[in-house]
């Protein structure tokens, strides 16, 4: 399952090449997973986002992590390196092919005790979760971000961080709807709705970063979502 947008950098190509080739590489088996995914064109987070996530998680030191969108299990495995001895990663995915590959990734990396994979639609699973998470990573269907946002905020600990991937839609996010291919207009509309909701919310602090296809960081230090 390839994502055409991952090949449309939103910053200068030479800068993207620099960030992906000159920043510190992963080590060990996780490096093998990243290189294999890139070789096969599997949509995992690009290396500049990997490096940023490592830095961020090193500062946050989360104990409980939630991920929406497992894919082959690469980002969940990366985050599992930062939850400490008693921490845990919970990840959600609905695609059988991705689920099977993710389970193999977790076995290969010996992370089966650190990661729980919930199989099914995030729209069905998220409302059932009652945990409290230090860090949430949302990298699922872009048109669903606005739908999943309330549950993410409900599940996020006070002063926790919600990281949302691929919010620039290949750099087309600011184009008018008429300029967007008909098949992408639904995603375009929902992503803009998501960005507007977060940017205009009086109780949320957020920041946009031009990493990969755009990353948004959200924190809820003064936010209390209705029960």
């Amino acid at each position: 399952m390839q994502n055409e947008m991952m090949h449309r950098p939103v910053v200068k190509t030479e800068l993207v090449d620099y960030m992906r080739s000159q920043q510190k590489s992963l080590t060990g088996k996780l490096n093998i997973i990243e290189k294999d995914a890139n070789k096969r064109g599997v949509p995992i987070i690009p290396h500049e986002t990997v490096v940023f996530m490592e830095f961020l998680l090193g500062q946050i030191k989360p104990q409980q992590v939630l991920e929406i969108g497992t894919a082959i299990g690469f980002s969940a495995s990366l985050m599992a390196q930062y939850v400490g001895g008693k921490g845990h990663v919970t990840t959600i995915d609905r695609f059988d092919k991705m689920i099977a590959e993710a389970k193999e990734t977790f076995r290969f990396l010996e992370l089966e005790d650190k990661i729980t994979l919930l199989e099914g639609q995030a729209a069905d699973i998220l409302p059932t979760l009652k945990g409290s998470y230090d860090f949430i990573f949302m990298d699922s269907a872009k048109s669903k971000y606005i739908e999943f946002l309330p549950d993410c905020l409900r599940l996020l600990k006070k002063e926790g961080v919600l990281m949302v991937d691929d919010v620039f839609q290949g750099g087309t996010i600011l184009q008018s709807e008429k300029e967007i291919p008909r098949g992408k207009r639904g995603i375009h509309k929902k992503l803009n709705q998501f960005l507007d909701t977060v940017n205009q919310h009086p109780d949320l602090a957020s920041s946009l970063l031009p990493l990969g296809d755009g990353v948004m960081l959200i924190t809820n230090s003064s936010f209390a979502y209705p029960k």
Side-chain angles (χ1 to χ4, degrees):
M1 183 186 299
Q2 295 203 15
N3 178 1
E4 63 181 276
M5 295 303 181
M6 68 185 291
H7 300 296
R8 299 178 62 179
V10 297
V11 298
K12 289 183 177 180
T13 302
E14 57 267 34
L15 290 176
V16 173
D17 290 342
Y18 178 83
M19 289 189 290
R20 292 183 182 177
S21 63
Q22 298 304 312
Q23 295 195 92
K24 188 177 294 184
S25 298
L26 293 171
T27 58
K29 291 183 177 180
L30 200 56
N31 184 41
I32 295 173
I33 296 294
E34 182 184 30
K35 287 185 175 180
D36 178 67
N38 289 331
K39 182 178 180 180
R40 293 189 290 135
V42 175
I44 63 171
I45 54 175
H47 193 67
E48 66 269 28
T49 305
V50 169
V51 174
F52 173 76
M53 185 178 278
E54 287 189 302
F55 179 87
L56 180 64
L57 294 178
Q59 303 305 306
I60 296 174
K61 297 179 173 58
Q63 290 290 300
Q64 296 298 320
V65 171
L66 174 64
E67 177 184 53
I68 308 166
T70 312
I72 65 167
F74 172 71
S75 49
S77 300
L78 177 68
M79 293 186 289
Q81 314 298 314
Y82 290 87
V83 296
K86 297 181 179 180
H88 200 80
V89 175
T90 300
T91 183
I92 303 170
D93 208 282
R94 65 188 178 94
F95 293 108
D96 292 340
K97 186 175 185 297
M98 293 290 100
I99 288 169
E101 191 159 351
K103 288 180 177 179
E104 182 57 37
T105 295
F106 302 151
R107 282 193 291 269
F108 177 66
L109 297 173
E110 300 179 4
L111 290 173
E112 294 169 285
D113 293 338
K114 300 293 293 182
I115 301 173
T116 296
L117 174 54
L118 303 179
E119 302 177 28
Q121 298 279 357
D124 297 327
I125 294 173
L126 284 172
T128 70
L129 298 180
K130 302 184 185 304
S132 186
Y133 297 93
D134 307 287
F135 186 78
I136 299 177
F137 182 49
M138 184 154 61
D139 186 16
S140 58
K142 315 314 167 198
S143 62
K144 298 292 186 180
Y145 284 176
I146 187 64
E147 178 183 335
F148 297 159
L149 181 61
D151 273 312
C152 286
L153 296 176
R154 175 181 63 83
L155 293 165
L156 193 65
K157 284 184 179 178
K158 185 176 181 180
E159 299 183 354
V161 174
L162 167 60
M163 179 174 172
V164 185
D165 200 25
D166 297 333
V167 296
F168 289 162
Q169 192 61 6
T172 65
I173 194 65
L174 299 181
Q175 293 180 4
S176 70
E177 186 175 310
K178 292 180 180 179
E179 297 177 273
I180 304 299
R182 288 187 181 276
K184 302 289 185 182
R185 288 181 184 177
I187 298 174
H188 183 264
K189 180 179 179 180
K190 293 289 189 179
L191 263 180
N192 270 287
Q193 186 181 355
F194 170 79
L195 291 172
D196 289 345
T197 298
V198 174
N199 285 330
Q200 296 169 14
H201 201 295
D203 298 321
L204 296 177
S206 62
S207 180
L208 286 165
L209 303 172
L211 298 169
D213 191 19
V215 166
M216 187 175 226
L217 298 178
I218 304 166
T219 189
N220 60 351
S221 57
S222 60
F223 180 80
Y225 200 79
K227 299 295 184 182

